[in-house]
Amino acid sequence: MVHPGRPMVNAPVRALSAGLVCSLWNRTLPTGSWWWKSMVLEVNVGGFSPLLFIAADLLPGGAAIVANTAPRVVMALSPLRGRRVHAVEVAAGCMAVTGVAALVPPSSGATDG
């Protein structure tokens, strides 16, 4: 279902399919403050998904790198919600970045000297 070079087609298909599955699973609509929370989440997914597919098209291993940054962004924003970030979470994030970096092939565009 992925169309190479068409991130603006791939992103909505990915988000819509996940949203439909979640809606069928839950069988209820959001109520009260969950409406705006759902909208914020959708803006996040709607903005992240095209970037994920653009990275997948342009960078070797780019999708893995972009997807791997999401937990670190959440962790960085945790203090804004009054949540303390623990050292084990930081260590796990560093290990994950190192692991993804080890899997990404060297850039073919690099030149010597």
Side-chain angles (χ1 to χ4, degrees):
M1 289 182 55
V2 175
H3 304 285
R6 309 225 17 223
M8 298 312 276
V9 172
N10 295 332
V13 167
R14 178 179 184 248
L16 181 62
S17 59
L20 289 174
V21 168
C22 289
S23 295
L24 291 172
W25 181 275
N26 245 353
R27 296 181 187 244
T28 60
L29 291 175
T31 58
S33 67
W34 280 101
W35 275 107
W36 74 265
K37 292 175 185 177
S38 298
M39 294 301 131
V40 169
L41 179 62
E42 185 52 38
V43 167
N44 181 10
V45 171
F48 177 76
S49 290
L51 295 176
L52 180 68
F53 285 101
I54 289 169
D57 283 344
L58 299 177
L59 302 171
I65 293 169
V66 171
N68 192 270
T69 62
R72 253 112 0 257
V73 171
V74 170
M75 188 171 46
L77 296 175
S78 291
L80 296 176
R81 300 264 315 171
R83 185 182 178 284
R84 184 173 172 262
V85 178
H86 299 280
V88 70
E89 295 168 327
V90 174
C94 291
M95 287 174 27
V97 170
T98 303
V100 170
L103 295 173
V104 175
S107 175
S108 59
T111 58
D112 295 327

XYZ file of all heavy atoms in Angstrom:
812
model
N 0.802 -1.201 0.000
C 0.000 0.000 0.000
C 0.844 1.265 0.000
O 0.325 2.342 -0.156
C -0.932 0.020 1.210
C -2.059 -0.991 1.114
S -3.193 -0.951 2.509
C -3.704 0.742 2.534
N 2.154 1.126 0.185
C 3.030 2.293 0.214
C 3.413 2.655 -1.218
O 3.858 1.814 -1.978
C 4.293 2.017 1.049
C 5.252 3.177 0.973
C 3.903 1.727 2.481
N 3.220 3.919 -1.558
C 3.554 4.417 -2.882
C 4.870 5.179 -2.790
O 4.912 6.261 -2.192
C 2.453 5.339 -3.411
C 1.107 4.695 -3.443
N 0.767 3.764 -4.380
C 0.030 4.833 -2.626
C -0.477 3.361 -4.160
N -0.940 3.996 -3.092
N 5.953 4.659 -3.361
C 7.244 5.361 -3.269
C 7.151 6.767 -3.836
O 6.544 7.000 -4.882
C 8.178 4.497 -4.118
C 7.529 3.159 -4.189
C 6.052 3.412 -4.105
N 7.743 7.705 -3.120
C 7.763 9.090 -3.588
C 6.465 9.847 -3.369
O 6.313 10.957 -3.859
N 5.526 9.278 -2.643
C 4.225 9.940 -2.437
C 3.871 9.995 -0.949
O 2.909 9.381 -0.511
C 3.141 9.182 -3.206
C 3.541 8.977 -4.640
C 2.597 9.225 -5.731
N 1.434 9.979 -5.516
C 0.248 9.628 -6.002
N 0.107 8.528 -6.667
N -0.778 10.390 -5.806
N 4.661 10.739 -0.164
C 4.417 10.764 1.283
C 3.061 11.343 1.670
O 2.482 10.963 2.680
C 5.552 11.624 1.833
C 5.995 12.457 0.686
C 5.776 11.603 -0.538
N 2.528 12.233 0.881
C 1.254 12.842 1.225
C 0.077 11.906 0.926
O -1.047 12.172 1.326
C 1.080 14.175 0.496
C 2.156 15.188 0.878
S 2.401 15.339 2.657
C 1.123 16.478 3.063
N 0.329 10.804 0.223
C -0.682 9.752 0.040
C -0.507 8.703 1.129
O -1.476 8.243 1.735
C -0.566 9.106 -1.359
C -1.469 7.885 -1.478
C -0.889 10.120 -2.442
N 0.738 8.324 1.390
C 1.022 7.284 2.378
C 0.603 7.685 3.787
O 0.078 6.870 4.543
C 2.509 6.949 2.378
C 2.947 6.342 1.071
O 2.179 5.705 0.376
N 4.200 6.543 0.724
N 0.867 8.924 4.166
C 0.591 9.371 5.531
C -0.893 9.277 5.889
O -1.240 8.700 6.923
C 1.122 10.787 5.729
N -1.800 9.823 5.070
C -3.220 9.705 5.434
C -3.718 8.265 5.447
O -4.525 7.905 6.291
C -3.956 10.519 4.363
C -2.932 11.426 3.800
C -1.625 10.709 3.922
N -3.211 7.441 4.530
C -3.633 6.039 4.511
C -3.229 5.360 5.807
O -4.004 4.627 6.415
C -3.044 5.295 3.285
C -3.209 3.795 3.402
C -3.686 5.807 2.008
N -2.021 5.634 6.262
C -1.527 5.049 7.511
C -2.347 5.533 8.702
O -2.794 4.746 9.538
C -0.063 5.423 7.696
C 0.541 4.908 8.971
C 2.013 5.333 9.003
N 2.677 4.792 10.144
C 3.128 5.505 11.170
N 2.971 6.805 11.184
N 3.734 4.926 12.170
N -2.560 6.833 8.802
C -3.286 7.396 9.934
C -4.761 6.989 9.906
O -5.344 6.661 10.944
C -3.151 8.912 9.944
N -5.362 6.999 8.726
C -6.778 6.663 8.619
C -7.026 5.211 8.982
O -7.969 4.895 9.700
C -7.290 6.958 7.209
C -8.767 6.672 6.960
C -9.623 7.544 7.869
C -9.118 6.916 5.501
N -6.165 4.322 8.499
C -6.370 2.906 8.805
C -6.242 2.653 10.306
O -7.044 1.920 10.890
C -5.407 2.031 8.019
O -4.067 2.364 8.322
N -5.260 3.272 10.959
C -5.108 3.110 12.406
C -6.298 3.716 13.145
O -6.804 3.128 14.109
C -3.808 3.752 12.868
N -6.755 4.863 12.695
C -7.908 5.503 13.324
C -9.178 4.681 13.197
O -9.961 4.573 14.150
N -9.379 4.075 12.037
C -10.565 3.236 11.847
C -10.521 1.993 12.734
O -11.527 1.616 13.332
C -10.697 2.831 10.374
C -11.099 3.947 9.423
C -11.055 3.465 7.981
C -12.493 4.468 9.765
N -9.356 1.377 12.832
C -9.218 0.204 13.699
C -9.512 0.579 15.149
O -10.256 -0.122 15.843
C -7.816 -0.435 13.557
C -7.559 -1.454 14.643
C -7.657 -1.065 12.184
N -8.947 1.699 15.599
C -9.184 2.145 16.981
C -10.654 2.482 17.210
O -11.216 2.167 18.264
C -8.306 3.347 17.316
S -6.570 2.928 17.480
N -11.295 3.104 16.233
C -12.715 3.449 16.366
C -13.585 2.206 16.433
O -14.525 2.127 17.231
C -13.166 4.320 15.196
O -12.503 5.550 15.231
N -13.279 1.228 15.599
C -14.048 -0.017 15.629
C -13.818 -0.778 16.926
O -14.718 -1.424 17.449
C -13.681 -0.887 14.425
C -14.140 -0.357 13.068
C -13.566 -1.195 11.938
C -15.657 -0.326 13.003
N -12.613 -0.716 17.441
C -12.284 -1.406 18.688
C -13.032 -0.767 19.865
O -13.598 -1.455 20.704
C -10.779 -1.341 18.911
C -10.322 -2.047 20.145
C -10.283 -1.548 21.408
C -9.844 -3.377 20.235
N -9.815 -2.471 22.279
C -9.526 -3.627 21.578
C -9.634 -4.394 19.309
C -9.025 -4.828 22.020
C -9.126 -5.591 19.755
C -8.835 -5.800 21.087
N -13.039 0.563 19.909
C -13.643 1.299 21.022
C -15.152 1.404 20.922
O -15.853 1.364 21.914
C -13.058 2.709 21.082
C -12.281 2.933 22.335
O -12.269 2.123 23.223
N -11.627 4.079 22.376
N -15.650 1.640 19.736
C -17.075 1.802 19.440
C -17.731 2.961 20.195
O -18.932 2.956 20.434
C -17.836 0.507 19.694
C -17.414 -0.606 18.785
C -18.227 -1.851 19.089
N -17.713 -2.958 18.329
C -18.392 -3.595 17.401
N -19.616 -3.238 17.119
N -17.847 -4.599 16.757
N -16.934 3.944 20.618
C -17.488 5.142 21.254
C -16.752 6.371 20.733
O -15.595 6.283 20.345
C -17.339 5.103 22.789
O -15.961 5.017 23.114
C -18.087 3.942 23.400
N -17.444 7.479 20.745
C -16.825 8.743 20.371
C -16.269 9.413 21.620
O -16.749 9.162 22.728
C -17.852 9.658 19.707
C -18.336 9.217 18.327
C -19.450 10.148 17.851
C -17.190 9.223 17.332
N -15.270 10.274 21.456
C -14.754 10.985 22.625
C -15.829 11.878 23.245
O -16.744 12.327 22.566
C -13.612 11.831 22.061
C -13.454 11.464 20.642
C -14.590 10.620 20.232
N -15.690 12.111 24.539
C -16.623 13.001 25.228
C -15.839 14.042 26.012
O -14.675 13.827 26.366
C -17.524 12.224 26.216
O -16.690 11.555 27.158
C -18.398 11.221 25.501
N -16.463 15.169 26.275
C -15.862 16.215 27.099
C -14.526 16.695 26.571
O -14.364 16.990 25.379
N -13.537 16.742 27.455
C -12.218 17.270 27.083
C -11.463 16.344 26.135
O -10.457 16.749 25.553
C -11.383 17.528 28.334
O -11.053 16.309 28.976
N -11.936 15.121 25.971
C -11.247 14.205 25.065
C -11.393 14.618 23.600
O -10.628 14.174 22.753
C -11.716 12.770 25.287
C -11.035 12.191 26.482
C -11.549 12.042 27.730
C -9.676 11.748 26.546
N -10.604 11.527 28.576
C -9.435 11.329 27.870
C -8.636 11.660 25.629
C -8.224 10.833 28.304
C -7.429 11.156 26.053
C -7.220 10.754 27.368
N -12.367 15.474 23.281
C -12.478 15.963 21.904
C -11.243 16.771 21.534
O -10.632 16.548 20.504
C -13.748 16.811 21.714
C -14.941 15.971 21.414
C -15.973 15.696 22.260
C -15.210 15.276 20.199
N -16.872 14.873 21.650
C -16.432 14.597 20.374
C -14.551 15.148 18.984
C -17.004 13.812 19.381
C -15.130 14.368 17.994
C -16.330 13.710 18.199
N -10.868 17.745 22.375
C -9.698 18.561 22.031
C -8.425 17.737 22.147
O -7.489 17.929 21.376
C -9.645 19.862 22.824
C -9.262 19.744 24.271
C -10.100 19.648 25.334
C -7.939 19.718 24.805
N -9.382 19.548 26.501
C -8.047 19.593 26.206
C -6.665 19.788 24.251
C -6.946 19.527 27.047
C -5.566 19.729 25.089
C -5.712 19.606 26.459
N -8.363 16.809 23.104
C -7.192 15.948 23.209
C -7.042 15.097 21.950
O -5.933 14.877 21.450
C -7.277 15.054 24.436
C -7.166 15.817 25.742
C -7.383 14.910 26.933
C -7.387 15.685 28.229
N -7.656 14.822 29.382
N -8.150 14.623 21.415
C -8.121 13.843 20.172
C -7.644 14.696 19.000
O -6.900 14.229 18.143
C -9.514 13.286 19.862
O -9.929 12.419 20.881
N -8.081 15.951 18.980
C -7.656 16.850 17.906
C -6.162 17.137 17.987
O -5.469 17.154 16.966
C -8.440 18.168 17.957
C -9.905 18.033 17.659
S -10.161 17.333 16.015
C -11.324 16.053 16.416
N -5.645 17.350 19.187
C -4.204 17.578 19.358
C -3.427 16.347 18.896
O -2.420 16.456 18.191
C -3.868 17.929 20.825
C -2.367 17.908 21.074
C -4.448 19.291 21.176
N -3.903 15.172 19.259
C -3.254 13.936 18.842
C -3.268 13.805 17.326
O -2.268 13.419 16.717
C -3.935 12.739 19.493
C -3.367 11.371 19.125
C -1.914 11.259 19.580
C -4.206 10.271 19.745
N -4.377 14.135 16.701
C -4.474 14.010 15.253
C -3.552 14.991 14.542
O -2.955 14.667 13.531
C -5.916 14.209 14.776
C -6.088 13.961 13.308
C -5.542 12.619 12.832
O -5.663 11.628 13.549
O -4.984 12.580 11.716
N -3.425 16.205 15.075
C -2.478 17.161 14.488
C -1.062 16.614 14.603
O -0.264 16.710 13.670
C -2.607 18.545 15.172
C -1.450 19.455 14.806
C -3.932 19.185 14.800
N -0.750 16.000 15.742
C 0.562 15.396 15.935
C 0.795 14.271 14.924
O 1.811 14.234 14.245
C 0.673 14.861 17.373
C 2.013 14.249 17.665
O 2.944 14.354 16.887
N 2.108 13.588 18.786
N -0.152 13.359 14.814
C -0.022 12.245 13.871
C -0.026 12.766 12.438
O 0.764 12.329 11.602
C -1.153 11.210 14.080
C -1.172 10.169 12.979
C -1.010 10.546 15.431
N -0.898 13.729 12.166
C -0.978 14.290 10.818
C 0.291 15.008 10.399
O 0.651 15.030 9.225
N 0.995 15.602 11.350
C 2.259 16.265 11.037
C 3.426 15.308 10.999
O 4.346 15.453 10.195
N 3.389 14.286 11.849
C 4.493 13.344 11.948
C 4.512 12.358 10.779
O 5.575 12.046 10.243
C 4.399 12.581 13.273
C 5.446 11.530 13.442
C 6.745 11.885 13.762
C 5.134 10.193 13.287
C 7.718 10.920 13.914
C 6.099 9.223 13.439
C 7.395 9.583 13.754
N 3.353 11.882 10.376
C 3.305 10.846 9.339
C 3.928 11.277 8.014
O 4.729 10.529 7.443
C 1.866 10.372 9.128
O 1.441 9.651 10.248
N 3.618 12.462 7.477
C 4.278 12.851 6.229
C 5.795 12.953 6.396
O 6.546 12.567 5.499
C 3.681 14.220 5.900
C 2.396 14.262 6.614
C 2.585 13.447 7.849
N 6.249 13.457 7.552
C 7.694 13.550 7.779
C 8.338 12.172 7.795
O 9.447 11.985 7.290
C 7.979 14.282 9.092
C 7.553 15.744 9.140
C 7.803 16.314 10.529
C 8.267 16.558 8.080
N 7.642 11.205 8.363
C 8.150 9.835 8.401
C 8.337 9.283 6.992
O 9.382 8.712 6.661
C 7.190 8.949 9.196
C 7.574 7.490 9.324
C 8.806 7.349 10.197
C 6.419 6.704 9.915
N 7.356 9.485 6.127
C 7.447 8.955 4.774
C 8.425 9.750 3.905
O 9.080 9.190 3.032
C 6.061 8.876 4.132
C 5.258 7.730 4.671
C 4.291 7.930 5.618
C 5.511 6.436 4.236
C 3.569 6.873 6.139
C 4.796 5.371 4.743
C 3.816 5.576 5.693
N 8.548 11.050 4.146
C 9.558 11.837 3.425
C 10.945 11.349 3.811
O 11.816 11.156 2.953
C 9.390 13.346 3.717
C 8.120 13.866 3.039
C 10.612 14.134 3.253
C 7.716 15.263 3.474
N 11.157 11.121 5.109
C 12.453 10.610 5.572
C 12.736 9.240 4.980
O 13.871 8.942 4.593
C 12.476 10.545 7.093
N 11.722 8.404 4.883
C 11.909 7.068 4.314
C 12.316 7.152 2.845
O 13.116 6.340 2.369
C 10.629 6.253 4.457
N 11.786 8.143 2.131
C 12.130 8.305 0.715
C 13.511 8.911 0.513
O 14.215 8.571 -0.430
C 11.097 9.194 -0.001
C 9.817 8.447 -0.315
O 9.828 7.201 -0.263
O 8.816 9.114 -0.617
N 13.898 9.843 1.368
C 15.112 10.616 1.129
C 16.370 10.095 1.821
O 17.469 10.323 1.339
C 14.887 12.071 1.559
C 13.791 12.823 0.817
C 13.630 14.217 1.389
C 14.102 12.877 -0.669
N 16.202 9.466 2.969
C 17.364 9.078 3.765
C 17.481 7.568 3.878
O 16.475 6.890 4.042
C 17.233 9.648 5.188
C 17.083 11.145 5.315
C 16.734 11.489 6.756
C 18.361 11.838 4.910
N 18.699 7.047 3.840
C 18.844 5.621 4.119
C 18.580 5.400 5.610
O 19.226 5.996 6.458
C 20.299 5.321 3.759
C 20.996 6.634 3.832
C 19.965 7.691 3.540
N 17.589 4.607 5.920
C 17.229 4.391 7.312
C 16.525 5.573 7.933
O 16.348 5.633 9.151
N 16.095 6.522 7.122
C 15.508 7.759 7.625
C 14.243 7.554 8.421
O 14.020 8.231 9.421
N 13.407 6.616 8.002
C 12.162 6.381 8.729
C 12.453 5.875 10.129
O 11.799 6.283 11.094
C 11.296 5.388 7.975
N 13.438 5.024 10.258
C 13.801 4.500 11.581
C 14.317 5.620 12.472
O 14.000 5.678 13.662
C 14.844 3.401 11.449
N 15.092 6.514 11.895
C 15.641 7.623 12.683
C 14.519 8.542 13.145
O 14.455 8.924 14.317
C 16.693 8.408 11.871
C 17.919 7.527 11.632
C 17.088 9.696 12.585
C 18.893 8.106 10.641
N 13.620 8.901 12.247
C 12.530 9.804 12.602
C 11.613 9.148 13.631
O 11.247 9.767 14.631
C 11.737 10.246 11.346
C 10.487 11.007 11.736
C 12.614 11.099 10.445
N 11.254 7.883 13.421
C 10.376 7.184 14.364
C 11.049 7.043 15.725
O 10.393 7.088 16.762
C 10.000 5.817 13.816
N 12.367 6.908 15.724
C 13.107 6.728 16.966
C 13.181 8.004 17.780
O 13.443 7.946 18.976
C 14.510 6.205 16.630
C 15.245 5.719 17.840
O 15.945 6.495 18.469
N 15.069 4.456 18.161
N 12.936 9.159 17.168
C 13.003 10.409 17.912
C 11.737 10.680 18.722
O 11.787 11.420 19.690
C 13.241 11.610 16.980
O 12.140 11.709 16.077
C 14.547 11.493 16.233
N 10.625 10.082 18.355
C 9.350 10.372 19.018
C 9.386 10.128 20.521
O 8.951 10.997 21.291
C 8.225 9.584 18.358
N 9.887 8.989 21.003
C 9.922 8.807 22.462
C 10.794 9.843 23.170
O 10.487 10.256 24.291
C 10.503 7.401 22.639
C 10.245 6.709 21.356
C 10.298 7.771 20.307
N 11.867 10.290 22.517
C 12.723 11.290 23.137
C 12.025 12.645 23.218
O 12.223 13.399 24.166
C 14.046 11.413 22.384
C 15.114 10.805 23.185
C 15.786 9.551 22.729
N 15.456 8.869 21.539
C 14.709 7.729 21.545
N 14.224 7.245 22.648
N 14.471 7.100 20.444
N 11.215 12.963 22.244
C 10.454 14.217 22.291
C 9.466 14.171 23.450
O 9.347 15.128 24.217
C 9.729 14.472 20.949
C 8.764 15.634 21.056
C 10.735 14.712 19.841
N 8.771 13.048 23.598
C 7.829 12.900 24.709
C 8.566 13.006 26.038
O 8.110 13.682 26.965
C 7.068 11.558 24.609
C 6.266 11.280 25.867
C 6.176 11.563 23.386
N 9.723 12.365 26.134
C 10.503 12.410 27.366
C 10.962 13.840 27.664
O 10.926 14.289 28.804
C 11.710 11.471 27.253
C 12.475 11.309 28.533
S 13.727 10.007 28.485
C 14.564 10.279 26.950
N 11.366 14.563 26.643
C 11.831 15.940 26.839
C 10.694 16.857 27.290
O 10.925 17.806 28.039
C 12.454 16.471 25.552
N 9.482 16.562 26.846
C 8.335 17.397 27.215
C 7.687 16.979 28.532
O 6.831 17.692 29.057
C 7.295 17.366 26.097
C 7.741 17.972 24.767
C 6.665 17.775 23.706
C 8.089 19.436 24.916
N 8.086 15.844 29.087
C 7.492 15.342 30.334
C 7.541 16.332 31.490
O 6.563 16.452 32.226
C 8.163 14.031 30.752
O 7.834 13.014 29.856
N 8.656 17.060 31.695
C 8.674 18.021 32.813
C 7.603 19.105 32.702
O 7.162 19.641 33.716
C 10.079 18.620 32.742
C 10.907 17.557 32.087
C 9.984 16.919 31.088
N 7.151 19.402 31.488
C 6.083 20.391 31.330
C 4.778 19.909 31.941
O 3.912 20.701 32.297
C 5.877 20.729 29.850
C 7.056 21.394 29.141
C 6.739 21.574 27.669
C 7.397 22.717 29.791
N 4.635 18.592 32.039
C 3.436 17.993 32.639
C 3.667 17.619 34.095
O 2.871 16.913 34.698
C 3.023 16.743 31.852
C 2.704 16.980 30.405
C 1.280 17.157 30.128
N 0.490 16.167 30.836
C -0.807 16.207 30.903
N -1.446 17.144 30.296
N -1.472 15.306 31.567
N 4.813 18.035 34.643
C 5.096 17.757 36.034
C 5.626 16.361 36.301
O 5.626 15.892 37.416
N 6.075 15.685 35.266
C 6.600 14.329 35.414
C 8.117 14.364 35.388
O 8.712 14.965 34.504
C 6.094 13.437 34.289
C 6.511 11.995 34.463
C 6.027 11.146 33.288
N 6.451 9.784 33.429
C 7.691 9.349 33.200
N 8.619 10.193 32.809
N 8.007 8.082 33.337
N 8.718 13.696 36.329
C 10.176 13.632 36.410
C 10.689 12.547 35.464
O 10.142 11.451 35.401
C 10.586 13.301 37.849
C 12.071 13.296 38.052
C 12.381 13.123 39.546
N 13.798 12.941 39.715
C 14.383 11.754 39.850
N 13.675 10.657 39.850
N 15.688 11.673 39.995
N 11.735 12.867 34.710
C 12.359 11.895 33.812
C 13.430 11.152 34.603
O 14.294 11.766 35.230
C 12.979 12.588 32.580
C 13.656 11.581 31.682
C 11.909 13.355 31.816
N 13.360 9.844 34.577
C 14.289 9.014 35.342
C 15.531 8.681 34.529
O 15.485 8.624 33.289
C 13.592 7.730 35.798
C 12.414 7.993 36.682
N 12.539 8.272 38.017
C 11.091 8.058 36.403
C 11.345 8.476 38.533
N 10.447 8.365 37.564
N 16.635 8.437 35.212
C 17.911 8.147 34.547
C 17.817 6.916 33.660
O 18.414 6.875 32.585
C 19.009 7.966 35.595
N 17.057 5.925 34.073
C 16.931 4.710 33.260
C 16.236 5.017 31.927
O 16.549 4.414 30.895
C 16.210 3.581 34.047
C 14.743 3.895 34.244
C 16.401 2.248 33.367
N 15.315 5.972 31.926
C 14.647 6.365 30.683
C 15.621 7.073 29.744
O 15.621 6.832 28.528
C 13.455 7.264 30.983
C 12.357 6.560 31.753
C 11.315 7.509 32.293
O 11.641 8.657 32.648
O 10.139 7.085 32.363
N 16.446 7.937 30.304
C 17.459 8.630 29.501
C 18.450 7.619 28.930
O 18.806 7.671 27.750
C 18.181 9.722 30.326
C 19.322 10.333 29.542
C 17.195 10.788 30.770
N 18.887 6.679 29.759
C 19.831 5.651 29.303
C 19.212 4.800 28.195
O 19.868 4.500 27.191
C 20.264 4.771 30.478
N 17.956 4.407 28.358
C 17.285 3.608 27.333
C 17.163 4.392 26.024
O 17.349 3.842 24.932
C 15.905 3.178 27.818
N 16.870 5.691 26.136
C 16.786 6.531 24.936
C 18.120 6.624 24.216
O 18.184 6.544 22.991
N 19.194 6.777 24.975
C 20.533 6.833 24.373
C 20.892 5.509 23.704
O 21.472 5.484 22.606
C 21.572 7.199 25.427
S 21.417 8.892 26.017
N 20.545 4.410 24.348
C 20.817 3.091 23.763
C 20.027 2.894 22.473
O 20.536 2.335 21.500
C 20.489 1.991 24.762
C 21.495 1.898 25.893
S 21.128 0.741 27.234
C 20.121 -0.499 26.551
N 18.781 3.365 22.456
C 17.956 3.220 21.257
C 18.529 4.020 20.095
O 18.603 3.530 18.965
C 16.523 3.667 21.558
N 18.947 5.251 20.362
C 19.541 6.078 19.309
C 20.818 5.432 18.780
O 21.049 5.369 17.569
C 19.820 7.511 19.825
C 20.659 8.299 18.841
C 18.511 8.224 20.107
N 21.629 4.918 19.685
C 22.870 4.249 19.280
C 22.568 3.021 18.430
O 23.223 2.785 17.417
C 23.689 3.850 20.533
O 23.935 5.024 21.298
C 24.989 3.196 20.158
N 21.571 2.256 18.829
C 21.194 1.065 18.062
C 20.714 1.389 16.668
O 21.098 0.743 15.689
N 19.882 2.409 16.545
C 19.388 2.802 15.216
C 20.533 3.349 14.375
O 20.658 3.026 13.195
C 18.247 3.830 15.335
C 17.896 4.409 13.975
C 17.033 3.189 15.955
N 21.405 4.153 14.980
C 22.548 4.707 14.244
C 23.461 3.591 13.735
O 24.026 3.701 12.642
C 23.326 5.668 15.127
N 23.591 2.525 14.492
C 24.439 1.404 14.068
C 23.830 0.664 12.874
O 24.565 0.066 12.086
C 24.643 0.437 15.229
N 22.519 0.712 12.733
C 21.857 0.009 11.640
C 21.792 0.820 10.353
O 21.630 0.262 9.274
C 20.436 -0.371 12.047
C 20.322 -1.375 13.180
C 18.857 -1.529 13.599
C 20.897 -2.720 12.774
N 21.925 2.128 10.453
C 21.808 2.993 9.286
C 23.117 2.954 8.520
O 24.186 3.190 9.081
C 21.466 4.437 9.701
C 21.456 5.362 8.511
C 20.126 4.474 10.415
N 23.049 2.654 7.217
C 24.287 2.607 6.441
C 24.916 3.997 6.300
O 24.206 4.997 6.356
C 23.837 2.086 5.073
C 22.383 2.354 5.011
C 21.870 2.374 6.419
N 26.245 4.055 6.123
C 26.894 5.350 5.922
C 26.318 6.047 4.688
O 25.938 5.402 3.724
C 28.363 5.007 5.713
C 28.512 3.596 6.144
C 27.165 2.949 6.078
N 26.262 7.347 4.748
C 25.712 8.129 3.637
C 26.598 7.978 2.402
O 27.817 8.102 2.464
C 25.631 9.600 4.027
O 25.211 10.362 2.931
N 25.971 7.708 1.282
C 26.715 7.571 0.027
C 27.097 8.926 -0.532
O 27.872 9.023 -1.469
C 25.906 6.780 -0.994
O 24.681 7.433 -1.232
N 26.563 10.008 0.041
C 26.868 11.350 -0.445
C 28.107 11.938 0.199
O 28.557 13.017 -0.190
N 28.662 11.281 1.198
C 29.857 11.813 1.862
C 31.066 11.710 0.952
O 31.226 10.755 0.220
C 30.110 11.044 3.165
N 31.886 12.738 1.003
C 33.085 12.745 0.193
C 34.321 12.841 1.072
O 34.264 13.388 2.169
C 33.089 13.936 -0.788
O 32.983 15.138 -0.037
C 31.923 13.837 -1.763
N 35.408 12.298 0.607
C 36.662 12.372 1.351
C 37.372 13.662 0.983
O 37.618 13.939 -0.167
C 37.572 11.182 1.028
C 36.980 9.879 1.483
O 36.279 9.877 2.524
O 37.207 8.861 0.826
N 37.723 14.436 2.029
C 38.527 15.643 1.833
C 37.724 16.709 1.269
O 37.793 17.632 0.730
